Amino acid sequence: MSRKEQDIKRLIASQCHIGTKQLHFDMKRYVSHRSDNGSYILNLEETWQHIKLAARVIAAIDQPQDVMVVSSRPIGQRAVIKFAHYTQASSTRSARWTPGTLTNQSNSASGKFQEPQLLIVTDPHLDRQAIVEASYVNIPVIALCNSDTPLQYVDIPIPVGNRDTKSISMIYWLLAREVKILRGELGQNEEWDVLVDLFYHKEITNDQLGVTDNLVKQEAEGEDHEQQVDGEKADKDW
Amino acid sequence: MLKLLLILVLASLFLTQAAENQLTIAFGSCFKFYRTHDTDVFQRIQSFNPKYFFWLGDAAYIDYMPIIGIWRAEANETRVKEKFDITNDDKYYAQFKKNVIIKGVYDDHDSNENNGGKFNPLKESAKQLYLDFIGESKDSPLRKQDVEKRGFGRGGRGQRERREGGAPRQNRGPRRFGGEQEWTPLTKLGRLVKAGKIKSLETIFQFSIPIKEYQIVDHFLKNLKEEPLALGPVQKQTCAGQRTRFKAYVVVGDGHQHIGLGWKSAKEVQGAIKGAVINAKLNLIPVRKGYWGNKIAQPHTVPCKVTGKEGSVRVRLVPAPRGTGIVAAITSKKVLQMAGIQDCYTQSKGSTRTRSNFLKATFHALKETYNFLTPDLWGHTKLESTPFQEHSEYLAALK
């Protein structure tokens, strides 16, 4: 089985090909057909080609940290951080994209002014602010696009159903691997020892943190108690 | 002026009682004394028995010419020394010096220029003479200490419009709060320009890089002319009446092939103009010139018919034969002149009385000159790497 076939299988397994029930005109060329339940199925051939193209663009940037990866979606954040880690790119640390990150160079801003040469975005809908700012400063944009995503200001769309962490992570994993191959860090047909699972977003519940429901309840009550006391005090003061 | 000194001194000593363990400090400034009459200021100060006296500035008005009555930075060292000697020789000051420790703040003696010594040709020697006057020893470290380049704009931020005995406008030069401060670039482009990595403005235009720091433009275009073209009050209604600000439109150009249009609204006219100039530099564009007919000598007119629009105003620029001059309304004409266009026919439509829109429409029309694909641009252009790509190593090393 060739590399390409393997990758396509990976994409299918991660359900990258399943889009939404809406179709945007811009994405028409990346859609293969419509499934029985109404979802648009994306053409994985295009997806694969665009991953290759995107990887080339990323690898062409001399300084790895001039590539910036963004995800305001929690399900994409881990993937973005891992991608940045393995390709030495820079990523946004938090969910919120501070407006002016690319455009506000004044010292009064919280020193978060960045001037990357390339921007990779997980969801053009939610990361709209980042894409718009990139348009102000001549920064090309690579974006993971679903079937209902407008491609305004997106230079290289990667068609993928970006509603689930599996599909997003798979794309970033493949991208990172391709970039490493192009940079010579990995052999052409070498298997990358890092697993996709590392890129998956995990919901961390209280159980895992060792905080039981009782503890949470106590704390909440404690707060109320404090508030009551304050209320009494306030009455007295009056 | 003497009164001023006295008041300052007295203010410093007011409500203090001479006590054994009390420290009395006196300070004063603006000592404009010309031996026209005797003064006993220092005697009066001495009566308070200060331990220290601080000169806070303008210890001698070395650039005031009392007979002629003008302000000009002194160009003669002997005369500077003379002026200091006037104070030094004063009989009361001599006595004063013996009893009181005298210190001083650096003073560039530009009295009223307040520009950090920008126009003072004798800055360095004046500093040494001042230190002599204060009584610093020859080998004091203060002699070598560099001056903090700061001037406090007296009319800059405040509400004062009248300048007392002010310098003629020509002498002041471009006003900057903070005198001549070093430019610390905040953007990658700024850093490259400052380091001299970018050879010309055209490189920046070629790659459509947004210019965010006006110093970049200043770096490349030294002889940029600024012309305020429209200035007017604009008002906003508040619960306490109207709040008036001034909006200024300024055109900036080298008269050759660059032009910028900027606007700014500010509380003061001066501030508005200054801000508009900066805005204009940020909005700088290259202007493409062409020929009307035969390609002899340098291009003199617009390369083709171009039109710009803003609001309801449409401005159309049409190539004209050499010698025609600029056939346009005064507002438009000024813009075209600053862009370096020699001959041009214009047609305008819409409410051109709205100066701002008229200016912007003309500006947009000029912008179009480089947007138009003429046959001579049909050839294939080689793809070049952007300055950021080219100098990426240098930029990365800076961080």
Side-chain angles (χ1 to χ4, degrees), chain A residues 60-63 65-66 102-107 113-117 136-138, chain B residues 186-189 191 207-210 212-213 386 388-390 392-394 396 399:
Chain A
I61 310 252
D62 291 331
Q63 301 294 326
Q65 66 270 23
D66 281 348
L102 298 180
T103 52
N104 191 353
Q105 80 280 11
S106 73
N107 281 325
F113 178 57
Q114 308 236 32
E115 288 179 276
Q117 286 200 52
Y136 278 107
V137 275
N138 296 359
Chain B
L186 294 167
T187 55
K188 267 189 193 170
L189 183 66
R191 281 179 224 124
F207 296 104
S208 310
I209 305 172
K212 293 207 166 239
E213 297 177 273
T386 67
F388 299 137
Q389 186 83 345
E390 208 184 302
S392 57
E393 267 177 44
Y394 171 79
K399 278 197 193 163

Side-chain angles (χ1 to χ4, degrees), chain B residues 96-395:
Chain B
F96 191 68
K97 259 204 300 194
K98 285 198 207 126
N99 297 322
V100 177
I101 303 170
I102 297 178
K103 295 274 172 202
V105 166
Y106 175 71
D107 174 17
D108 69 355
H109 311 295
D110 64 354
S111 45
N112 268 359
E113 297 279 4
N114 293 322
N115 53 17
K118 194 166 141 188
F119 290 125
N120 191 351
L122 290 180
K123 195 176 168 133
E124 194 47 50
S125 45
K127 171 175 141 196
Q128 298 301 329
L129 286 168
Y130 177 63
L131 286 167
D132 284 338
F133 169 70
I134 297 268
E136 284 291 321
S137 62
K138 288 282 173 206
D139 50 7
S140 157
L142 285 178
R143 299 233 173 222
K144 297 209 195 91
Q145 195 173 310
D146 202 11
V147 169
E148 194 185 286
K149 297 184 180 87
R150 276 230 225 119
F152 294 97
R154 207 150 71 101
R157 285 266 202 86
Q159 296 300 318
R160 289 173 247 183
E161 283 152 326
R162 187 181 66 87
R163 283 178 134 230
E164 199 179 279
R169 193 144 209 271
Q170 289 77 18
N171 280 354
R172 271 198 241 132
R175 283 232 254 135
R176 272 187 258 281
F177 179 77
E180 282 188 73
Q181 269 177 343
E182 188 74 19
W183 166 41
T184 329
L186 294 167
T187 55
K188 267 189 193 170
L189 183 66
R191 281 179 224 124
L192 288 179
V193 164
K194 187 151 184 228
K197 301 274 181 195
I198 298 191
K199 297 300 166 210
S200 76
L201 253 188
E202 316 327 299
T203 320
I204 301 178
F205 291 135
Q206 185 188 349
F207 296 104
S208 310
I209 305 172
I211 301 175
K212 293 207 166 239
E213 297 177 273
Y214 71 94
Q215 293 94 336
I216 293 170
V217 170
D218 282 336
H219 175 91
F220 289 112
L221 299 176
K222 308 278 184 207
N223 300 324
L224 217 51
K225 274 183 282 216
E226 305 151 5
E227 179 104 21
L229 285 183
L231 198 81
V234 287
Q235 288 179 338
K236 166 183 141 166
Q237 195 77 299
T238 63
C239 50
Q242 282 120 326
R243 193 215 44 196
T244 313
R245 291 158 108 204
F246 293 94
K247 191 160 183 179
Y249 283 82
V250 168
V251 151
V252 133
D254 62 352
H256 190 50
Q257 59 185 49
H258 295 108
I259 191 144
L261 175 67
W263 52 92
K264 181 94 177 113
S265 181
K267 275 188 269 192
E268 277 177 29
V269 173
Q270 303 290 358
I273 294 178
K274 191 179 126 181
V277 166
I278 293 176
N279 190 226
K281 287 179 183 164
L282 295 181
N283 290 340
L284 203 79
I285 53 161
V287 170
R288 188 167 184 214
K289 293 191 280 190
Y291 298 96
W292 172 82
N294 289 331
K295 292 189 175 52
I296 321 168
Q298 293 300 314
H300 59 105
T301 184
V302 270
C304 55
K305 295 178 191 171
V306 284
T307 175
K309 63 178 178 184
E310 181 75 31
S312 73
V313 180
R314 307 281 179 264
V315 169
R316 189 180 202 211
L317 307 177
V318 171
R322 217 180 276 276
T324 317
I326 302 174
V327 182
I330 323 167
T331 321
S332 252
K333 188 166 182 168
K334 201 71 213 171
V335 181
L336 294 169
Q337 274 174 343
M338 295 204 85
I341 295 192
Q342 290 152 30
D343 311 285
C344 191
Y345 292 124
T346 59
Q347 286 154 12
S348 61
K349 202 170 143 179
S351 179
T352 55
R353 293 177 70 206
T354 324
R355 272 257 188 92
S356 55
N357 283 357
F358 199 16
L359 286 170
K360 287 182 196 173
T362 318
F363 182 69
H364 289 317
L366 288 172
K367 208 177 194 177
E368 283 298 303
T369 57
Y370 260 120
N371 277 349
F372 202 95
L373 226 200
T374 53
D376 53 314
L377 294 176
W378 286 356
H380 185 69
T381 42
K382 198 171 148 220
L383 191 68
E384 286 171 29
S385 58
T386 67
F388 299 137
Q389 186 83 345
E390 208 184 302
H391 303 286
S392 57
E393 267 177 44
Y394 171 79
L395 286 166

